[in-house]
Amino acid sequence: MAVPIKVETQNVAVEAVFRSWRSERATFYRRLNHISDTMGTAVTVQAMVFGNRGMDSGTGVGFTRNPSTGEPGVFGEYLANAQGEDIVAGIRTPMSISELSDQMPSVYTELLRLVEQLERHYKDTQDFEFTVEAGKLFLLQTRSAKRSALASVKIAVDMVDEALITREEAVKRVNPSSLVEMLSPQLDFTAETTEALTSGLPASPGAAVGVIAFSANRAVSMHAEGEAVILLTEETTADDIHGMDASVGFLTARGGATSHAAVVARGMGKCCITGAKGIAIDSKVGTVQIGARTFLEGDWLSLDGGSGRVFEGKLPLRPASEDHPELDRLLEWALASDTCSVRANADTPADARAAMGAGATGIGLCRTEHMFFAADRLSHVRAMILAKTPEERIAALELLLPMQQRDFEELFRTMSPLPVTIRLLDPPLHEFLPSADELEQELASARSDENWEHCITLEGIRRQVELLTEVNPMMGHRGCRLSLTYPEILHMQVRAILRAALTVKAEGMNPSPEIMVPLVASEEEMRVLTEMIHAAAADVFAGLTPAVDYKIGTMIELPRAAVCAGPISKHVSFISFGTNDLTQMTYGFSRDDARNYLDSYLEQGILKVDPFITIDQEGVGHLMEMAIKSVRLLNPSIKIGVCGEHGGDPESIEYFQSLGVDYVSCSPARLRIAQLAAAQAGGFREGHSLPAQQKDELKTGGLVPLTSQHNL
Amino acid sequence: MAVPIKVETQNVAVEAVFRSWRSERATFYRRLNHISDTMGTAVTVQAMVFGNRGMDSGTGVGFTRNPSTGEPGVFGEYLANAQGEDIVAGIRTPMSISELSDQMPSVYTELLRLVEQLERHYKDTQDFEFTVEAGKLFLLQTRSAKRSALASVKIAVDMVDEALITREEAVKRVNPSSLVEMLSPQLDFTAETTEALTSGLPASPGAAVGVIAFSANRAVSMHAEGEAVILLTEETTADDIHGMDASVGFLTARGGATSHAAVVARGMGKCCITGAKGIAIDSKVGTVQIGARTFLEGDWLSLDGGSGRVFEGKLPLRPASEDHPELDRLLEWALASDTCSVRANADTPADARAAMGAGATGIGLCRTEHMFFAADRLSHVRAMILAKTPEERIAALELLLPMQQRDFEELFRTMSPLPVTIRLLDPPLHEFLPSADELEQELASARSDENWEHCITLEGIRRQVELLTEVNPMMGHRGCRLSLTYPEILHMQVRAILRAALTVKAEGMNPSPEIMVPLVASEEEMRVLTEMIHAAAADVFAGLTPAVDYKIGTMIELPRAAVCAGPISKHVSFISFGTNDLTQMTYGFSRDDARNYLDSYLEQGILKVDPFITIDQEGVGHLMEMAIKSVRLLNPSIKIGVCGEHGGDPESIEYFQSLGVDYVSCSPARLRIAQLAAAQAGGFREGHSLPAQQKDELKTGGLVPLTSQHNL
């Protein structure tokens, strides 16, 4: 804001502005925003006007539309006989800008005319400052207005209706990351200002208010009693799924942005804070210490997933609106180009329906292990693992087959004719067995009951658990290594997938199964695995021409797979980058443990961003680029996807698009964000590789009830 | 051997020979030895001679030198009135070939003349077959003779003395891997034929015969009683070092070629078998089940480290000869070229002396953590880890400083003026704390003694152990991540190194410390760490010009470090590939767990070789090549080494040489093998980067007593 100064003082002021270019703060800001230091700055010298010359003078600030809601109409404040500082300082209470129409109708009319003209000129909502000096209006400054996500969407859509901008421009106007704010519940901080108990990694956005449960089982029973539950644990594992399902949010003492809790939370669209500092759980006593305070099971906590802060008690919660007509229209435009392929990671029919509802172009990752943990299956899975002979193992697997088949049928029915990528069993087998501690307890109680037969069984399980225990399970006996050492598992899963596809096809639909092999490191593995899958398929098709078109692909999630992607790709028709694991192995950062030093790295500026949230272009990205180049060379018709958590991160999506990836896949909760980011980045072009028949089906609405957003 | 056949039969025979080219066995052999299928074979048709035409006829086989010992003089067998099959079949007992001189002196003289001529022609020991038909000598076949390692070395050296071959040719004649056989004790299998109890990975060669100890502590006390001890455990960790030191060999139920036990065993030159199948240790009862048999502590076992087989009882052991004058001469020639830089991995002054004795050109890897485990230090290390404030941590570290300094002084005195590369602390801190089980036991006994104060201390340790426990420690809080989160540790170590160097320099020697940072992933880490090291050095030199020339370098052991090696290298004067970890992360194969599926992969042919033994050129090698190219571009004067276990593997050494590496570093026990392999590969050229003064010192014998092998 201009101040009256003498000429010599003015020179000092001009110099001060020039000097400010080299201030520490400005230098830091430029570094952060990749602005060159050599660009320089300018100084505008202008005549001063005075709003404090009496009651026919005054000053005001305003927006051409409401920056919180996006509602049209000028919105702002005016203070008579005042300078700009008086509004900012808050000593006097300003009036609403609209009241100016009574006090100085002609000034008000002129102001409206001018700012409307400015908005039309800049084609964006303006944030303006003005002064009235003795009845004459002066505009001091105008700039694009900062706004809420809600306003950002509404304004973009309204401006299309007002023919101010095109649909393409509207799509580019909204920051995809900001949608999180619209799409999830938020803590209502205006109600009270509370100090946080602790903070952790904001692993999944939104907010949750509920009572503490220390285990998945307790979460389930407390949920059954009608409680909103927050599951508070050291970390979660795959067998906590039922408890996570029963909870409104998760808080863990360990883990990072792609720890189990974080990934599941984003998949479920629930709030999650991981690796929160200073949490000490004493599950035996049933207490948790958070900082200096101690809580019991059943005590209330409030989680702010957006910032990672944890609050004591039951804070007010503003639920997410289900209804976003403007956003739906914006995304319709984003998806309309037929070049925007965003798939969803979905493990269950419910996930798949949510994905379809949000316009997913297929399922990019279905994790079959989640099906293994269901209560009716775990006993068969354990029998399979504890089998002493291949025959025993096959017998257990045959019991699992119809169950898996039913899951896949439901997925295919929901998604047909869109592709469903099913990943073969990935986690190390010990994850399906009880922990050593659990076994020890069960053994003790069996001994005190003198139930010797049960003791012997438990001893057998304990031996197996010990045998399967690994020092570094993430680099252990998992992924395709399971298929190559226990081929019966692959054989069962491939048959379940293809039998399901046959059944659904017989119902008149057109399923597109894509079988994806995890953790491949070498061409030789891929060659052998492809043969095994075809052999299992031949069993299903009884030697006849395959009645269902299935594709075989692999994840690229090991550095070696990226280096050798060319030769590996010769055996498959698609590859999908598992960027979580690829980041983990490339950096040597264990996803489950890294929080501690990653936080320190981020604080020290050694890392600019968490590489588990936004892809590391220099390292991981370089490997991806190498891989894509050699794959396109050796296998030009191949389809290339990304199914790691980065598939839902706007900055990463833009980078993947620049690498020439065909599609990204993300959790259903992030689908809208990813679609918008993908459209802004120029879109992904998976569509061209769909068989013509399937494209037709999609265009005519086909066999599947497509939602209004789905505009392919 | 030729047989009399009619012409038509002969055609069938010729065809059979041609057909044999395409036999399964021949095809497999060609694939194994990289021989092209299109090469084809030839058939020689020759007239038949008969050794069974009476007593003036006969047949024999022989060698121009003894294939077991290399002793000169024709060596072989002769059978009168016989065909070749008669010797092979073993029905009649042949006489020594030398007896022919009595029976048919002129034939014998002619035979000697002919085979000597053949040896001169082929410049190699011949394995020949001959027939005498009615007093006339016919030579049927000659080829280079297969021979023992001992013979191979003696023959090569003798042939130089006989002016048959040059020294360079002699160096190329010996297979470096075969030296293992000469340099380590072997089980004497001729004494009895025993069936193996089980087998595992031949992790460190040689043989060991001793009594079972189930823990490091028991090994120490049994060794004190004069027993030869075999340490038999699930796996070993860094705090078993004292027990490993007291044992003659190690047998583990888990782990692979670069597991802790394997690496330490090779470092100590002791026999080790890791990941042996079907071993179930019940340490509570004090028994081990190996296959179907049960053994107690104190029972005898015999290990064959060459094949990985485990035998029951006390098999006879043939000790390794200490005296190899021919090998010493051969290695003298190998090292004479001034281009062969092979360093040793050495953690202790004893290791360093062994390395100097075997002609190492420096220490390529000194692991400082081994010093932390010594009994007089562990309490300070634990105090440092359990410190609640930086001040407490610094106080504990100050007590460690003089101890570390003394270790380094001793190393510098031994190695001066050769370089000593000291790696800063690498393993995760929890390795220095007692295990959760140990703590539980100690707590129980403290509780029963009502020693409440001790209970509180132990509870504190237990909490710290829990906090430090990691799901995947190999990708955890270790390496330079420790230096960046606990800068006090780096500060102590750097001061200890440089103070030691100053002390040794004051004694008139010229130490060359090289400070190596482990597990770097990014340029930013390296930039900050370099600053930290220089700052610590400035503290030592009190702001004056550094009185000792120190170098800073980094390991390249993460895939990201390989990808970003160029930018990282801008901050250092050397890099050293840690190929163990690099292999681990690139493949996602946990070194401690991979045995199970690696064996299956090797059996199925999915892997041709164990990538932890011979470098994976396609994957890991590609990353190394990328790294070296960008490093040489951005930092041409940089020194590049390899300090993983692959630095002692001949095939890997040849590959590293082709990549343009400056030196390799391996365990002292493999030094001779590596030197020979390096010379055969064309040598490494680190020598040129030694300061001229140091080179002079080396040439004149300087301040260090150089061994006869050391010929720089």
Side-chain angles (χ1 to χ4, degrees):
Chain A
M1 193 140 295
V3 271
I5 41 174
K6 293 191 200 142
V7 173
E8 61 268 37
T9 325
Q10 192 173 302
N11 288 343
V12 174
V14 167
E15 273 165 27
V17 173
F18 281 129
R19 263 201 311 279
S20 76
W21 177 257
R22 283 189 301 276
S23 73
E24 203 174 314
R25 199 177 134 195
T27 309
F28 179 78
Y29 180 87
R30 287 198 297 276
R31 187 137 64 100
L32 205 69
N33 291 282
H34 306 290
I35 298 169
S36 165
D37 282 336
T38 59
M39 216 172 192
T41 190
V43 180
T44 307
V45 180
Q46 60 183 125
M48 186 77 190
V49 287
F50 299 92
N52 51 2
R53 290 224 169 144
M55 287 314 284
D56 63 347
S57 299
T59 193
V61 295
F63 298 88
T64 52
R65 304 184 191 224
N66 186 312
S68 295
T69 63
E71 288 300 323
V74 164
F75 173 93
E77 294 171 330
Y78 178 76
L79 202 52
N81 196 15
Q83 286 288 73
E85 298 94 83
D86 301 322
I87 294 191
V88 178
I91 302 161
R92 291 164 55 195
T93 307
M95 64 182 193
S96 165
I97 211 167
S98 56
E99 289 177 44
L100 197 59
S101 65
D102 295 333
Q103 296 196 354
M104 290 192 269
S106 64
V107 166
Y108 185 66
T109 311
E110 194 187 0
L111 179 67
L112 290 195
R113 192 183 55 76
L114 279 173
V115 297
E116 200 198 314
Q117 194 180 341
L118 283 169
E119 203 191 72
R120 273 207 311 277
H121 176 76
Y122 288 113
K123 297 185 177 177
D124 199 6
T125 301
Q126 296 299 299
D127 166 356
F128 55 86
E129 295 179 24
F130 64 98
T131 285
V132 182
E133 189 184 76
K136 185 167 182 196
L137 174 68
F138 294 89
L139 274 173
L140 304 184
Q141 174 172 300
T142 188
R143 57 181 170 185
S144 281
K146 289 211 190 320
R147 65 204 82 176
S148 74
L150 196 70
S152 151
V153 171
K154 180 165 172 52
I155 291 169
V157 172
D158 283 354
M159 284 190 164
V160 171
D161 291 342
E162 295 161 23
L164 271 175
I165 57 176
T166 65
R167 288 176 174 190
E168 290 68 30
E169 282 168 330
V171 165
K172 297 211 165 157
R173 282 287 168 88
V174 177
N175 175 0
S177 301
S178 73
L179 296 187
V180 174
E181 198 187 308
M182 287 175 72
L183 297 170
S184 46
Q186 301 294 323
L187 288 184
D188 200 347
F189 275 90
T190 54
E192 47 183 320
T193 52
T194 319
E195 205 178 318
L197 287 167
T198 181
S199 68
L201 190 81
S204 180
V209 175
V211 295
I212 300 171
F214 288 123
S215 73
N217 288 339
R218 287 294 298 145
V220 169
S221 55
M222 287 162 80
H223 172 70
E225 290 160 19
E227 299 278 17
V229 180
I230 287 179
L231 183 62
L232 196 171
T233 52
E234 283 291 325
E235 56 197 338
T236 63
T237 63
D239 44 339
D240 293 326
I241 287 286
H242 59 302
M244 299 175 86
D245 205 42
S247 307
V248 295
F250 323 131
L251 171 61
T252 71
R254 291 183 184 208
T258 55
S259 64
H260 179 265
V263 172
V264 171
R266 285 195 291 271
M268 292 181 170
K270 289 182 181 177
C271 164
C272 176
I273 298 171
T274 56
K277 285 163 223 147
I279 289 192
I281 301 167
D282 192 331
S283 54
K284 280 172 197 162
V285 186
T287 60
V288 59
Q289 200 157 343
I290 309 182
R293 308 257 302 113
T294 303
F295 298 89
L296 302 173
E297 192 163 79
D299 283 349
W300 284 88
L301 285 184
S302 300
L303 310 183
D304 178 20
S307 68
R309 284 176 302 169
V310 180
F311 299 94
E312 185 179 350
K314 191 177 174 180
L315 292 191
L317 192 70
R318 192 174 52 225
S321 163
E322 287 293 311
D323 196 30
H324 298 290
E326 279 94 359
L327 179 59
D328 290 347
R329 285 185 65 202
L330 191 79
L331 288 173
E332 201 171 328
W333 301 334
L335 297 172
S337 58
D338 195 25
T339 62
C340 189
S341 186
V342 179
R343 296 197 191 183
N345 298 348
D347 304 338
T348 63
D351 287 351
R353 278 187 290 272
M356 283 299 283
T361 56
I363 292 180
L365 175 63
C366 166
R367 286 166 284 238
T368 50
E369 55 269 24
H370 287 190
M371 303 173 179
F372 277 43
F373 282 108
D376 57 335
R377 297 155 194 208
L378 198 54
S379 63
H380 301 310
V381 174
R382 288 181 176 175
M384 181 268 287
I385 296 170
L386 298 170
K388 288 191 177 54
T389 62
E391 292 70 32
E392 276 181 39
R393 189 172 305 121
I394 289 169
L397 285 165
E398 288 305 314
L399 294 170
L400 283 169
L401 194 150
M403 298 174 178
Q404 284 246 300
Q405 185 179 333
R406 275 197 302 277
D407 294 324
F408 295 140
E409 283 170 13
E410 214 29 52
L411 280 178
F412 292 143
R413 280 190 199 105
T414 310
M415 299 303 297
S416 166
L418 295 172
V420 177
T421 307
I422 296 169
R423 180 176 74 183
L424 299 179
L425 194 66
D426 185 43
L429 295 182
H430 66 76
E431 285 200 7
F432 299 99
L433 295 179
S435 74
D437 280 356
E438 278 167 34
L439 276 170
E440 200 56 62
Q441 282 175 25
E442 218 178 318
L443 254 169
S445 93
R447 272 197 210 100
S448 70
D449 295 350
E450 305 203 356
N451 185 346
W452 304 125
E453 206 173 316
H454 192 44
C455 280
I456 291 168
T457 313
L458 289 171
E459 278 293 351
I461 298 177
R462 186 164 72 171
R463 255 200 306 279
Q464 194 65 22
V465 168
E466 274 170 24
L467 272 178
L468 292 175
T469 300
E470 295 180 308
V471 182
N472 300 289
M474 198 49 91
M475 300 192 287
H477 196 168
R478 50 174 285 239
C480 74
R481 296 164 197 173
L482 289 172
S483 298
L484 287 162
T485 46
Y486 303 109
E488 307 84 13
I489 302 178
L490 172 139
H491 193 243
M492 181 280 280
Q493 289 202 298
V494 171
R495 282 182 301 146
I497 294 166
L498 295 180
R499 284 191 195 179
L502 278 180
T503 305
V504 172
K505 185 155 191 185
E507 295 166 9
M509 279 167 270
N510 197 0
S512 303
E514 301 189 334
I515 299 170
M516 182 159 73
V517 181
L519 215 73
V520 162
S522 71
E523 180 187 1
E524 193 57 20
E525 281 174 333
M526 198 67 242
R527 197 186 60 71
V528 173
L529 287 160
T530 304
E531 274 173 20
M532 285 166 66
I533 292 170
H534 284 315
D539 283 357
V540 174
F541 302 125
L544 302 173
T545 311
V548 170
D549 192 28
Y550 64 96
K551 289 195 167 71
I552 300 176
T554 183
M555 294 190 74
I556 301 290
E557 52 186 337
L558 294 171
R560 195 180 192 280
V563 172
C564 305
I568 289 171
S569 76
K570 291 190 289 178
H571 303 275
V572 294
S573 50
F574 69 93
I575 62 169
S576 182
F577 287 96
T579 51
N580 300 346
D581 270 12
L582 191 58
T583 299
Q584 177 166 250
M585 304 283 180
T586 303
Y587 261 109
F589 284 162
S590 166
R591 289 199 253 160
D592 301 300
D593 307 308
R595 200 65 257 141
N596 198 2
Y597 52 85
L598 277 192
D599 279 345
S600 169
Y601 272 29
L602 289 164
E603 274 162 31
Q604 294 183 56
I606 292 173
L607 282 173
K608 302 288 176 248
V609 289
D610 185 332
F612 289 111
I613 294 176
T614 299
I615 197 84
D616 156 45
Q617 298 186 14
E618 189 187 358
V620 179
H622 188 86
L623 286 174
M624 291 178 73
E625 204 181 328
M626 273 175 60
I628 291 173
K629 274 189 190 152
S630 66
V631 162
R632 293 270 187 231
L633 201 71
L634 287 165
N635 188 347
S637 68
I638 203 166
K639 199 160 58 179
I640 300 177
V642 173
C643 66
E645 287 292 307
H646 301 91
D649 171 65
E651 196 177 319
S652 307
I653 289 171
E654 188 183 346
Y655 178 66
F656 296 147
Q657 201 275 345
S658 77
L659 291 183
V661 155
D662 295 311
Y663 69 91
V664 294
S665 187
C666 66
S667 54
R670 291 193 75 85
L671 205 54
R672 289 184 170 88
I673 297 163
Q675 287 165 339
L676 188 58
Q680 290 183 355
F684 292 101
R685 277 160 198 83
E686 194 190 1
H688 69 160
S689 63
L690 278 181
Q693 181 213 350
Q694 289 187 21
K695 277 192 126 171
D696 288 347
E697 276 172 26
L698 282 169
K699 279 187 181 135
T700 57
L703 298 159
V704 183
L706 290 176
T707 65
S708 63
Q709 295 99 306
H710 197 95
N711 233 45
L712 260 180
Chain B
M1 193 140 296
V3 272
I5 40 174
K6 294 195 202 143
V7 175
E8 60 269 38
T9 325
Q10 191 174 303
N11 288 343
V12 174
V14 168
E15 275 165 25
V17 173
F18 282 128
R19 264 201 310 279
S20 76
W21 178 256
R22 284 189 301 275
S23 73
E24 201 173 317
R25 199 178 135 195
T27 309
F28 178 79
Y29 180 87
R30 286 197 298 275
R31 187 138 63 102
L32 205 69
N33 292 282
H34 307 290
I35 297 169
S36 164
D37 283 337
T38 59
M39 215 174 196
T41 190
V43 180
T44 307
V45 181
Q46 61 183 126
M48 186 76 190
V49 288
F50 299 93
N52 51 1
R53 289 224 169 142
M55 288 312 285
D56 61 349
S57 298
T59 193
V61 296
F63 298 87
T64 53
R65 304 181 192 227
N66 186 312
S68 296
T69 63
E71 288 300 323
V74 165
F75 173 92
E77 294 171 332
Y78 178 76
L79 203 51
N81 196 16
Q83 287 288 75
E85 300 91 83
D86 301 323
I87 293 189
V88 178
I91 301 161
R92 290 164 56 194
T93 306
M95 62 184 194
S96 165
I97 211 166
S98 58
E99 289 178 43
L100 196 60
S101 66
D102 296 333
Q103 295 196 356
M104 290 193 270
S106 64
V107 166
Y108 185 66
T109 311
E110 196 186 359
L111 178 67
L112 290 195
R113 190 183 55 79
L114 279 172
V115 298
E116 200 199 314
Q117 194 179 342
L118 281 170
E119 201 190 71
R120 272 205 313 278
H121 177 76
Y122 289 111
K123 296 184 176 178
D124 198 7
T125 302
Q126 296 299 300
D127 165 356
F128 55 87
E129 295 179 22
F130 65 97
T131 285
V132 183
E133 189 184 77
K136 187 168 181 195
L137 175 67
F138 295 88
L139 273 175
L140 303 184
Q141 174 173 303
T142 188
R143 57 182 169 185
S144 282
K146 290 212 187 321
R147 65 205 81 174
S148 74
L150 196 68
S152 153
V153 172
K154 180 165 172 53
I155 291 169
V157 172
D158 283 354
M159 283 191 166
V160 171
D161 291 342
E162 294 161 23
L164 271 175
I165 58 176
T166 64
R167 289 175 175 190
E168 289 69 30
E169 282 168 329
V171 166
K172 298 214 164 154
R173 282 287 168 88
V174 177
N175 175 359
S177 301
S178 74
L179 296 186
V180 175
E181 198 188 307
M182 288 174 72
L183 298 170
S184 47
Q186 301 294 324
L187 288 184
D188 201 346
F189 274 91
T190 53
E192 46 183 320
T193 51
T194 320
E195 205 177 319
L197 287 168
T198 182
S199 68
L201 190 82
S204 180
V209 176
V211 295
I212 299 172
F214 288 122
S215 73
N217 288 338
R218 287 294 299 146
V220 169
S221 56
M222 288 161 79
H223 172 71
E225 289 160 17
E227 299 277 18
V229 180
I230 286 178
L231 182 62
L232 196 170
T233 53
E234 283 291 326
E235 57 198 336
T236 63
T237 62
D239 45 339
D240 293 327
I241 287 285
H242 60 301
M244 300 175 87
D245 204 42
S247 306
V248 294
F250 322 131
L251 172 60
T252 71
R254 292 183 185 209
T258 56
S259 63
H260 180 264
V263 172
V264 172
R266 286 194 292 271
M268 292 180 169
K270 289 181 180 178
C271 163
C272 176
I273 298 171
T274 56
K277 285 163 224 148
I279 290 192
I281 302 168
D282 191 331
S283 54
K284 281 172 196 162
V285 187
T287 60
V288 59
Q289 201 156 342
I290 308 182
R293 309 257 301 112
T294 303
F295 297 90
L296 301 173
E297 192 162 79
D299 283 350
W300 284 88
L301 286 184
S302 300
L303 310 183
D304 179 20
S307 68
R309 284 176 302 171
V310 179
F311 299 94
E312 184 179 350
K314 190 177 174 179
L315 293 190
L317 193 71
R318 193 174 51 225
S321 161
E322 287 294 311
D323 196 30
H324 299 290
E326 279 93 359
L327 179 59
D328 290 346
R329 287 187 64 203
L330 191 78
L331 287 174
E332 202 171 329
W333 301 334
L335 297 172
S337 58
D338 195 24
T339 64
C340 188
S341 185
V342 179
R343 297 197 189 183
N345 298 349
D347 304 337
T348 62
D351 287 350
R353 279 187 290 271
M356 284 299 283
T361 55
I363 291 179
L365 175 63
C366 166
R367 287 166 283 239
T368 49
E369 56 269 25
H370 287 191
M371 301 172 180
F372 276 44
F373 282 108
D376 56 336
R377 296 156 195 209
L378 198 54
S379 62
H380 301 311
V381 174
R382 287 181 176 175
M384 180 268 287
I385 297 170
L386 298 170
K388 287 191 179 55
T389 62
E391 290 69 36
E392 275 181 41
R393 189 173 306 119
I394 290 169
L397 285 164
E398 288 303 314
L399 293 171
L400 284 169
L401 194 151
M403 299 174 177
Q404 283 246 301
Q405 184 179 333
R406 276 197 302 278
D407 294 325
F408 295 139
E409 283 171 12
E410 211 31 51
L411 281 178
F412 292 143
R413 280 188 199 106
T414 310
M415 298 304 296
S416 165
L418 295 172
V420 178
T421 307
I422 296 169
R423 180 176 73 183
L424 298 179
L425 194 66
D426 186 42
L429 295 182
H430 67 76
E431 285 200 9
F432 299 99
L433 295 179
S435 73
D437 280 356
E438 278 167 33
L439 276 169
E440 200 55 64
Q441 282 175 26
E442 218 178 317
L443 254 169
S445 95
R447 272 197 211 101
S448 70
D449 295 349
E450 305 202 357
N451 186 344
W452 304 124
E453 207 174 316
H454 192 44
C455 278
I456 291 168
T457 313
L458 289 171
E459 277 294 352
I461 299 178
R462 186 164 71 171
R463 254 200 307 279
Q464 194 65 21
V465 168
E466 274 170 22
L467 271 178
L468 291 175
T469 300
E470 294 179 308
V471 182
N472 300 289
M474 198 50 90
M475 301 192 287
H477 197 168
R478 50 174 285 238
C480 74
R481 296 162 197 174
L482 289 172
S483 298
L484 287 162
T485 45
Y486 303 108
E488 307 84 15
I489 302 178
L490 172 139
H491 193 243
M492 182 279 280
Q493 289 202 300
V494 171
R495 282 181 301 147
I497 294 166
L498 295 180
R499 284 191 194 177
L502 277 180
T503 306
V504 172
K505 185 155 191 187
E507 294 167 7
M509 279 168 271
N510 197 359
S512 303
E514 301 188 335
I515 300 169
M516 182 159 73
V517 181
L519 215 71
V520 163
S522 70
E523 180 187 0
E524 193 57 20
E525 281 175 333
M526 198 67 243
R527 196 186 61 71
V528 173
L529 288 160
T530 304
E531 274 173 20
M532 286 166 67
I533 293 169
H534 284 315
D539 283 357
V540 174
F541 301 126
L544 302 173
T545 311
V548 170
D549 192 28
Y550 64 96
K551 289 195 168 70
I552 300 176
T554 182
M555 294 191 74
I556 301 289
E557 52 186 337
L558 293 171
R560 195 180 192 281
V563 171
C564 305
I568 290 172
S569 76
K570 290 190 288 177
H571 303 274
V572 295
S573 50
F574 69 93
I575 61 169
S576 182
F577 287 96
T579 51
N580 300 345
D581 270 11
L582 191 58
T583 299
Q584 177 167 250
M585 304 284 181
T586 304
Y587 261 109
F589 284 162
S590 166
R591 289 199 253 161
D592 301 299
D593 308 308
R595 201 64 257 142
N596 198 3
Y597 53 84
L598 276 191
D599 280 345
S600 169
Y601 271 29
L602 289 164
E603 274 162 30
Q604 293 183 58
I606 292 172
L607 283 172
K608 302 290 176 247
V609 290
D610 185 332
F612 289 111
I613 294 175
T614 299
I615 196 85
D616 156 45
Q617 298 186 15
E618 190 187 355
V620 180
H622 188 84
L623 286 175
M624 292 178 71
E625 205 181 325
M626 273 174 62
I628 291 173
K629 273 188 191 152
S630 66
V631 163
R632 293 270 187 232
L633 201 70
L634 287 167
N635 188 346
S637 69
I638 203 166
K639 199 160 57 177
I640 300 178
V642 173
C643 66
E645 288 292 307
H646 301 92
D649 171 66
E651 197 176 319
S652 307
I653 288 171
E654 190 183 343
Y655 178 66
F656 297 146
Q657 201 275 343
S658 76
L659 291 183
V661 155
D662 294 311
Y663 69 91
V664 294
S665 187
C666 66
S667 52
R670 292 194 74 85
L671 205 55
R672 289 183 169 89
I673 297 162
Q675 287 165 338
L676 188 57
Q680 290 182 357
F684 293 101
R685 276 160 199 84
E686 194 191 0
H688 68 160
S689 64
L690 277 180
Q693 179 213 351
Q694 290 186 21
K695 278 192 125 171
D696 288 347
E697 277 171 25
L698 283 167
K699 279 188 180 131
T700 58
L703 299 157
V704 183
L706 289 176
T707 65
S708 64
Q709 294 100 305
H710 198 96
N711 234 43
L712 261 178

